[in-house]
Amino acid sequence: MKHFTFILMLVLGLTTMVRAQNNVPDRHPEASIFAIDYQTGQETPAMSDAAIMFKDAFIDLVLNTNIGRMPSRMTPGRRSVVISQADPQTNGNAYQLTYESKYYTQTIPIYTFLYNVDQNTLYFYNPNTQNWDPQLIQGYNVNNLNNCLTYGKFNTPPPVQAAPPVPAGMNQGTPANDAAVDNTAPVDTNLSVEAAPPPLPDYEQPECPQDGYLWQPGFWSYSPQRNDYYWVPGVWVAPPSPGLLWTPPYWGFVGHFYVYHSGYWGNSIGFYGGINYGCGYGGVGYGGGEWREGHFRYNTAVVRVNVTIVHNTYVDRTVIVNEGPRNRYSFNGNGGVVARPTPHEMEAMHERHVMATPEQIRNQQVAREDKNQFRSGGKPNFAAERAPERGPVNTGRPAPNGVQNNNARPAAPVASNNTPGASNTARPGASNTPGTSARPGGSNAAATTNSPGVPRGPGVSNAPAVPKGPGNAGNGNNNNKSRQKPTKQVKQSSDKKSK
């Protein structure tokens, strides 16, 4: 009896130790997940609770698709599921799932999916066309999609490092207290907040100061340092190149969290949560103007234009009727705007996107450094004709070299010739052959000659570009409770009613 009691206590002790190491149950222990260690550049097994929750959500998402429910039964060998992080340089925050079979020394992929966290979109690699096809997520599978978005940020790629300080003596012509702020790295983009963003404020749009400028509506962003929302003023900005249109950012309610989706430039207006920002952004598309033969024509029925400077104008009042009544909602989901992407918006989400310009980034940087722009400050500047010419001041960093060009425009993204797939670093005991899924102790043989890689940038044959902007193909509004540790909640206050 004593011997039996000792064994029982030992088993209970070991069980407690195992549970202490992993606070969440692993519903798919047979599957493996690998993430990139950004310090070494190597791919390592991901063992955190968030990684396990993402792995389970990703597998459930795939298994509930038509393709995932009907795997090939003719492939011999031992089956396994492997999830690996895609190359963040070309795909942003994305993960590839391969359902594969190991037969002797050969690894044969049965099917391959890619989930892009930045877009909240699931792709299936079509071996017949050798392309990645976005998958429409049905209602019964939306909860798994939302969980992927919530937990998929467990190993988010680090932001681009700011440029090093300019040596003393090279800051002539610029006040000494200006800051050398990196205007090419977006700020406060990876956000998941427990408190809802405040209602949209009421403000008047300033006149367009220059022909060719486009309106960026103001929006609420969030500062993790201050644990508070701050208002980024609406401004007129120069597009990166003619023909591009701005899709505003938006907040989406997902699993008891409000998740931020970044804005972007593209040939068409994508999904921005159905939020009615006004001034042409009524929730779907843009009615404030259009590109015609390389010049932008302004619809003066909905936007304010200085006609002494800008002459390319027209009047279309049907846009006002189509926008419908204004509301104060600043987020998509339960309690806010209930909207889903239209077919046209889904197409726009998969076009090539361009990040915010230095003007737009500088505009947000200045707002984040101004306590008056915060909800707790209560005295925000809602709109301006142009973005500030200089970044935040008094940060203790040297000023930039020379005068900064206020109209600087970033170059369009250049496609990478590296085949994405997990990463360009080989796993222990694995080859770098695209599509090969060997892991430590596995085979080094190539899977097949037609093994897929992760979608590459524009200009690469047989692989459509995977935009890094936000996307919501199949994104629903679900209130299932999240297992993610919530951030500090902020009290919500009322604002002026939007137009």
Side-chain angles (χ1 to χ4, degrees), residues 400-457:
N401 183 15
V403 179
Q404 198 162 22
N405 181 8
N406 196 35
N407 296 327
R409 300 171 181 175
V414 179
S416 171
N417 291 328
N418 295 331
T419 302
S423 68
N424 292 334
T425 57
R427 306 179 189 91
S431 70
N432 287 333
T433 306
T436 303
S437 301
R439 294 300 186 275
S443 168
N444 293 338
T448 62
T449 56
N450 294 324
S451 298
V454 179
R456 287 174 275 184

Side-chain angles (χ1 to χ4, degrees), residues 67-88:
I67 299 171
R69 286 195 298 264
M70 297 184 295
S72 173
R73 299 182 181 276
M74 302 301 294
T75 306
R78 182 170 57 89
R79 313 285 181 91
S80 64
V81 175
V82 178
I83 298 174
S84 56
Q85 186 173 5
D87 184 359

Side-chain angles (χ1 to χ4, degrees), residues 88-211:
Q89 295 297 323
T90 54
N91 297 280
N93 193 11
Y95 292 85
Q96 178 175 306
L97 181 150
T98 302
Y99 182 40
E100 59 190 15
S101 175
K102 296 183 183 297
Y103 187 66
Y104 290 102
T105 59
Q106 190 176 22
T107 301
I108 305 172
I110 300 174
Y111 58 63
T112 304
F113 283 85
L114 177 81
Y115 174 71
N116 190 299
V117 184
D118 298 330
Q119 302 171 14
N120 194 24
T121 304
L122 180 68
Y123 295 88
F124 166 68
Y125 181 79
N126 190 331
N128 296 324
T129 61
Q130 296 188 2
N131 285 324
W132 291 88
D133 299 333
Q135 300 296 294
L136 179 63
I137 305 302
Q138 304 297 329
Y140 57 82
N141 206 11
V142 168
N143 183 45
N144 294 320
L145 182 74
N146 292 341
N147 287 337
C148 284
L149 178 64
T150 301
Y151 307 132
K153 299 177 182 180
F154 71 92
N155 194 41
T156 302
V160 179
Q161 296 297 320
V166 179
M170 298 184 65
N171 300 320
Q172 301 171 359
T174 309
N177 63 345
D178 280 356
V181 179
D182 182 9
N183 292 325
T184 63
V187 295
D188 295 335
T189 56
N190 183 29
L191 300 171
S192 179
V193 188
E194 188 179 23
L200 294 176
D202 180 17
Y203 64 91
E204 184 176 343
Q205 182 189 42
E207 290 184 338
C208 179
Q210 185 171 335
D211 188 13

Side-chain angles (χ1 to χ4, degrees), residues 11-372:
V11 170
L12 290 175
L14 291 176
T15 304
T16 303
M17 292 177 60
V18 170
R19 289 183 177 178
Q21 294 175 0
N22 239 327
N23 295 324
V24 298
D26 189 352
R27 291 182 284 104
H28 298 281
E30 74 285 352
S32 303
I33 180 169
F34 295 81
I36 297 174
D37 183 340
Y38 297 115
Q39 293 184 348
T40 64
Q42 299 295 319
E43 200 176 50
T44 59
M47 307 298 293
S48 67
D49 289 348
I52 298 301
M53 290 188 289
F54 172 73
K55 181 190 71 169
D56 290 345
F58 193 2
I59 294 174
D60 291 340
L61 177 67
V62 170
L63 292 179
N64 277 281
T65 62
N66 293 331
I67 299 171
R69 286 195 298 264
M70 297 184 295
S72 173
R73 299 182 181 276
M74 302 301 294
T75 306
R78 182 170 57 89
R79 313 285 181 91
S80 64
V81 175
V82 178
I83 298 174
S84 56
Q85 186 173 5
D87 184 359
Q89 295 297 323
T90 54
N91 297 280
N93 193 11
Y95 292 85
Q96 178 175 306
L97 181 150
T98 302
Y99 182 40
E100 59 190 15
S101 175
K102 296 183 183 297
Y103 187 66
Y104 290 102
T105 59
Q106 190 176 22
T107 301
I108 305 172
I110 300 174
Y111 58 63
T112 304
F113 283 85
L114 177 81
Y115 174 71
N116 190 299
V117 184
D118 298 330
Q119 302 171 14
N120 194 24
T121 304
L122 180 68
Y123 295 88
F124 166 68
Y125 181 79
N126 190 331
N128 296 324
T129 61
Q130 296 188 2
N131 285 324
W132 291 88
D133 299 333
Q135 300 296 294
L136 179 63
I137 305 302
Q138 304 297 329
Y140 57 82
N141 206 11
V142 168
N143 183 45
N144 294 320
L145 182 74
N146 292 341
N147 287 337
C148 284
L149 178 64
T150 301
Y151 307 132
K153 299 177 182 180
F154 71 92
N155 194 41
T156 302
V160 179
Q161 296 297 320
V166 179
M170 298 184 65
N171 300 320
Q172 301 171 359
T174 309
N177 63 345
D178 280 356
V181 179
D182 182 9
N183 292 325
T184 63
V187 295
D188 295 335
T189 56
N190 183 29
L191 300 171
S192 179
V193 188
E194 188 179 23
L200 294 176
D202 180 17
Y203 64 91
E204 184 176 343
Q205 182 189 42
E207 290 184 338
C208 179
Q210 185 171 335
D211 188 13
Y213 271 37
L214 272 64
W215 177 248
Q216 173 205 286
F219 62 96
W220 288 107
S221 187
Y222 185 86
S223 170
Q225 289 74 27
R226 291 177 178 260
N227 292 321
D228 196 7
Y229 285 95
Y230 63 94
W231 179 259
V232 180
V235 289
W236 292 94
V237 294
S241 61
L244 296 183
L245 297 169
W246 174 249
T247 296
Y250 74 95
W251 291 88
F253 183 73
V254 180
H256 288 279
F257 289 92
Y258 297 87
V259 179
Y260 178 78
H261 301 263
S262 300
Y264 55 89
W265 294 93
N267 294 324
S268 304
I269 300 291
F271 182 67
Y272 52 94
I275 309 301
N276 191 340
Y277 288 106
C279 302
Y281 287 101
V284 177
Y286 178 59
E290 62 182 7
W291 286 98
R292 184 72 62 85
E293 297 179 352
H295 297 279
F296 192 78
R297 299 175 67 240
Y298 299 84
N299 182 8
T300 55
V302 294
V303 297
R304 298 187 64 207
V305 174
N306 187 341
V307 294
T308 62
I309 299 175
V310 179
H311 306 288
N312 300 319
T313 63
Y314 68 99
V315 177
D316 181 8
R317 300 188 184 279
T318 61
V319 176
I320 303 176
V321 178
N322 294 334
E323 284 186 1
R326 291 295 305 276
N327 57 62
R328 306 180 66 194
Y329 298 133
S330 59
F331 63 91
N332 175 277
N334 271 3
V337 178
V338 180
R340 297 289 297 275
T342 65
H344 178 74
E345 288 174 326
M346 292 186 66
E347 292 179 5
M349 288 190 298
H350 299 109
E351 296 175 354
R352 194 190 78 178
H353 296 165
V354 178
M355 64 174 285
T357 66
E359 285 178 288
Q360 294 172 289
I361 296 174
R362 184 168 60 249
N363 181 50
Q364 184 170 353
Q365 289 172 335
V366 172
R368 185 178 58 170
E369 297 300 319
D370 186 351
K371 64 179 181 180
N372 293 320

